[in-house]
Amino acid sequence: MELEVRHLRALCAIADAGSLHKAARQLGMSQPSLTTQLRRIENSLGAELFSRERTGCRPTLLGHSVLSRARPLVAGMAVLVSEARAAADRSAGPRLRIGSTASRALAGWLRRLRERLPGTDISLQMDVSANALLRQVAGGGLDVAFVHEVEGCPLRVPAGLDRRVLVEREPQFISLARDHPAAGSQIVELADLAADRWMIDPTVDGEWDGLRRVLGAAGLNPPVLHGDYLTASSLIAVGEAVAPCQPTSVPREDMVVRPLRDDPLGVRLLLFSRPGAYEGAGIAGAGAGADGDGPGGAEVYADLEAAYREAALQAVVYRQWLMRNKSPLLHAPAA
C-alpha cells in the first residue's frame, strides 16, 4: 500500500481528536472505515502509530515521528488547493464562506449579511467541531468561523488567525421534560438532577470534559448517555434524560429550558477569520486595520453582534437571566 495525502490527513485528524470516533465524525466517514484505514496504514509501515486506550488514542513514539512529517505535508496541500480554488474563483464575483457551530443567531446574522452584501455569494458550513472549522479557516477553505469555546477546554487555534470575542461568558442552561420535578423552579439546582441521565454529544469539542469537570466539582456522578442533540431532544421530552443547552434555546410544549444555580457551565463565543479574508467578500475598505481584520471585519462582527442580541432577547428565560445580571446585551450598541 502506498501512502497518500488522505492517509496523512486521517492520521492528523486522529491525533487532534484523540479518538477514532471523533476523528471519523470530522472526516465525514464511519468509525469502522477509519479503523480499517488506520490498520492498513500501520501494516504498511510495520508498526503501531497509536496506542488504543479506554479514553481514546495516543500517538506512539513512531506515531509522533510520522505526525511531525505528515502535518507540514497536509498543511502544504491544503494551501495549494485553496490557492488554486481562489485563483479559479476570482472571476466568479465576491464571496464570503462562513463556518459555524450551532447557534440561534445564525439566521439573523445571514439575513443581515445578505442585506449588507447583496452581490456577494454567502455560503454556510455547519460542524459540531470548532477545532475542525478553525483548521478550515487557516487552510483557506473558509473565510470566517463563529464558534464556542467550552470553559476550561481551550480551542486549538492555528497561528495567524484574527479573533474577536462576541460574548466572554455565555451561561449554559439545562433542558428537561416539562413534567420533571425541577421544571417548576425558575432556577435549577445541580443536586436536583443527580438522579437523572445526562445526555452529551462527545463530538462537540470540550463538551464532555467541561460537563465532567462541573459535575465532579459538585460531587455528582450521574449516568451519562452519549449521542447527538437531535436524539437528546426526544429523550428529554419523555423524561429519559436532561442535557445542557444554549440559553437562546426555545422551549417546546413538552420541554422547558432553565438556568442552573450559579451558572456552573459556560462557553465563550468567538469569531475567527484569516487576515485579508474579507477582501473577496465585496466589503468596502476591507484592508487590515488596528484590530487585525480591518473595517470589513468590524462590519461582519457588528452584524453577528446584532443577530445574537436579537436571539437572546427573544428567548424569554435568557432575557430574564440577562435582566437579573444587568447584562449590557439588554442595550443596543451606539450606532
Side-chain angles (χ1 to χ4, degrees), residues 44-329:
S44 174
L45 297 178
E48 285 192 347
L49 300 179
F50 293 91
S51 58
R52 281 69 156 179
E53 303 173 358
R54 185 177 60 82
T55 55
C57 293
R58 294 182 180 276
T60 61
L61 287 176
L62 176 61
H64 281 295
S65 176
V66 171
L67 286 165
S68 68
R69 294 175 177 269
R71 290 189 187 281
L73 293 174
V74 171
M77 181 59 72
V79 171
L80 184 154
V81 171
S82 66
E83 289 180 350
R85 287 175 176 170
D89 290 342
R90 282 191 188 109
S91 60
R95 67 175 184 176
L96 183 63
R97 298 165 299 173
I98 297 172
S100 180
T101 50
S103 172
R104 291 276 175 181
L106 278 178
W109 188 29
L110 290 175
R111 184 183 73 248
R112 287 170 171 81
L113 288 174
R114 294 191 193 284
E115 292 172 353
R116 183 185 295 277
L117 308 168
T120 299
D121 177 18
I122 300 174
S123 63
L124 174 65
Q125 178 178 325
M126 303 293 297
D127 200 308
V128 296
S129 171
N131 285 316
L133 291 170
L134 295 184
R135 288 195 297 270
Q136 289 198 58
V137 174
L142 293 171
D143 298 310
V144 299
F146 173 41
V147 299
H148 68 272
E149 179 181 64
V150 176
E151 195 168 55
C153 304
L155 295 173
R156 295 186 292 273
V157 181
L161 297 189
D162 295 321
R163 186 197 75 175
R164 284 178 179 264
V165 179
L166 178 66
V167 177
E168 185 60 43
R169 190 179 194 273
E170 179 194 70
Q172 298 300 280
F173 289 177
I174 193 78
S175 56
L176 58 164
R178 188 165 291 277
D179 59 359
H180 190 288
S185 303
Q186 293 302 307
I187 299 177
V188 174
E189 306 282 347
L190 264 180
D192 293 338
L193 308 173
D196 287 283
R197 297 181 184 87
W198 286 69
M199 190 85 176
I200 197 78
D201 186 343
T203 62
V204 178
D205 295 322
E207 198 101 323
W208 171 223
D209 291 335
L211 177 62
R212 182 169 48 187
R213 174 180 54 81
V214 168
L215 292 175
L220 303 178
N221 186 28
V224 176
L225 305 176
H226 288 175
D228 62 88
Y229 285 121
L230 183 60
T231 303
S233 294
S234 61
L235 295 178
I236 293 168
V238 296
E240 285 295 317
V242 300
C245 67
Q246 297 176 9
T248 50
S249 299
V250 178
R252 307 184 337 190
E253 290 185 2
D254 50 5
M255 287 171 50
V256 299
V257 173
R258 295 286 185 267
L260 292 166
R261 175 75 64 189
D262 298 326
D263 307 309
L265 294 169
V267 302
R268 185 163 58 158
L269 303 183
L270 304 162
L271 181 66
F272 286 94
S273 62
R274 288 179 295 103
Y278 303 105
E279 293 175 3
I283 301 176
D291 293 323
D293 57 356
E299 293 176 358
V300 171
Y301 174 84
D303 285 340
L304 175 58
E305 186 178 38
Y308 181 82
R309 179 177 176 274
E310 179 182 66
L313 297 183
Q314 287 175 349
V316 175
V317 176
Y318 192 21
R319 186 170 70 243
Q320 293 170 345
W321 184 94
L322 294 171
M323 293 175 65
R324 286 197 304 271
N325 289 274
K326 298 180 173 59
S327 169
L329 270 174

